[in-house]
Amino acid sequence: MIKILKDAFKISSENIILATPLLVFLLLINIYLMVAKDAVKVLPSALLFFLTLLLMVSAFMSGWFYMIKSAIHNFKNKIPHKENETFKLMNEFPVGIADYIGSYIGLSIAFLILGDIVLVSIYYIGLNLIGSIGITPAQFISATEAPVAMQALLDSMTKTQLLKLNYWYFLIMFSLQIFSLVTMFWPVEILYSTKNPIKALFYAVKRIILKPQSILLFILISILNVVMMIMNYISMFNPISYFVMTLVYFYFIVYIFVLLFLYYEEKIKGNRNSISDSDRQE
């Protein structure tokens, strides 16, 4: 495991170009959300908005994940690292889109449906095990929009309501963590096992069950993410440190996905070439 952590760091450092698609994608998403924020008020425009967003996310995943797979391939096959070769890694982005965008569109749709099922299930399980807090979900969401409103809501609640709120928080967080764990390898399976997103989900769940040591990877990623979020929050009080931490966080995201893909190759699929000759386009 230590070797995988070190190799993931080396791959991420040598292929820092992997952060470029991520930065561009997040920038485009923010611009699109600002421009189209009023479109969701009309049904036809809202449908077009969500369809465009779905295509953007799916295209990014298919291209970026293929780039990560290619970077690992170069590393494992000891292809000499050169600066111009690193920039050539960007050529893999459109290749990934061409080969896998259909699969990631299916994954995105399936993820939304499955996510809704999980949330509805959590809601009904909570009602039966914990009971109602006495406030509607709309009231709670509205209170989260401002610290003052949230504090006012908490002050107005009884001890019983606050206890139930804590139980609800634990149930939601625990359920979402389990959901994240069982779907951890879902996007990875599409590039390594099958282009069918439903089969990929089945394989991803199967990997976790047959190789429970993967839970340690999930725990490690979760801990690192919490640490980074705390550091990012602390840095908000200084503009320069906040800017630096933002760049570090982008690199951290790249590192986590490289780690996830590399762990899959080493521990799940075994030590072999990540891209076959028939799959790779020069």
Side-chain angles (χ1 to χ4, degrees), residues 117-136:
I117 294 174
V118 170
L119 291 176
V120 171
S121 300
I122 293 173
Y123 177 73
Y124 283 106
I125 291 173
L127 284 180
N128 285 280
L129 294 181
I130 304 172
S132 174
I133 303 177
I135 60 175
T136 64

Side-chain angles (χ1 to χ4, degrees), residues 25 29 50-65 93 97 101 104-105 107-108:
F25 169 71
I29 285 292
F50 286 112
L51 178 60
T52 304
L53 196 61
L54 177 71
L55 291 174
M56 290 174 66
V57 173
S58 302
F60 167 73
M61 287 193 297
S62 57
W64 195 51
F65 290 161
F93 191 85
I97 294 177
I101 188 170
Y104 282 103
I105 288 175
L107 181 147
S108 299

Side-chain angles (χ1 to χ4, degrees), residues 1-221:
M1 185 64 180
I2 300 298
K3 183 178 184 301
I4 294 177
L5 292 171
K6 291 181 178 179
D7 287 347
F9 180 78
K10 187 174 182 180
I11 294 170
S12 304
S13 301
E14 291 182 351
N15 298 276
I16 197 64
I17 193 69
L18 289 170
T20 302
L22 178 63
L23 289 168
V24 173
F25 169 71
L26 293 178
L27 177 62
L28 291 177
I29 285 292
N30 285 327
I31 294 174
Y32 180 69
L33 292 177
M34 287 189 294
V35 172
K37 61 181 179 180
D38 296 327
V40 294
K41 298 178 181 179
V42 184
L43 182 58
S45 300
L47 292 175
L48 180 61
F49 169 80
F50 286 112
L51 178 60
T52 304
L53 196 61
L54 177 71
L55 291 174
M56 290 174 66
V57 173
S58 302
F60 167 73
M61 287 193 297
S62 57
W64 195 51
F65 290 161
Y66 193 80
M67 283 181 64
I68 293 175
K69 185 180 180 183
S70 301
I72 295 174
H73 166 84
N74 294 341
F75 177 80
K76 294 182 69 174
N77 287 274
K78 304 186 185 304
I79 296 177
H81 173 72
K82 299 178 182 178
E83 186 174 351
N84 60 333
E85 293 295 330
T86 300
F87 283 100
K88 284 184 180 180
L89 195 61
M90 285 296 299
N91 295 334
E92 304 291 351
F93 191 85
V95 175
I97 294 177
D99 289 347
Y100 294 99
I101 188 170
S103 299
Y104 282 103
I105 288 175
L107 181 147
S108 299
I109 294 173
F111 181 85
L112 291 174
I113 295 174
L114 187 59
D116 288 339
I117 294 174
V118 170
L119 291 176
V120 171
S121 300
I122 293 173
Y123 177 73
Y124 283 106
I125 291 173
L127 284 180
N128 285 280
L129 294 181
I130 304 172
S132 174
I133 303 177
I135 60 175
T136 64
Q139 289 176 312
F140 186 79
I141 293 174
S142 177
T144 59
E145 295 178 356
V148 176
M150 174 57 72
Q151 187 60 48
L153 177 64
L154 293 176
D155 291 340
S156 67
M157 298 174 68
T158 65
K159 291 183 178 180
T160 302
Q161 287 178 309
L162 290 173
L163 184 62
K164 286 186 176 182
L165 181 62
N166 288 329
Y167 288 152
W168 270 98
Y169 177 80
F170 176 79
L171 174 64
I172 293 172
M173 290 297 102
F174 178 77
S175 301
L176 293 181
Q177 286 295 311
I178 295 298
F179 179 68
S180 300
L181 171 63
V182 298
T183 58
M184 179 171 62
F185 293 122
W186 191 4
V188 185
E189 292 288 352
I190 286 181
L191 277 84
Y192 289 92
S193 300
T194 175
K195 290 186 177 182
N196 186 317
I198 305 303
K199 288 184 178 180
L201 174 60
F202 172 77
Y203 291 150
V205 176
K206 184 179 177 181
R207 307 298 185 195
I208 299 297
I209 296 174
L210 296 181
K211 294 186 178 292
Q213 61 268 31
S214 300
I215 298 176
L216 296 177
L217 174 67
F218 179 79
I219 294 174
L220 174 63
I221 292 175

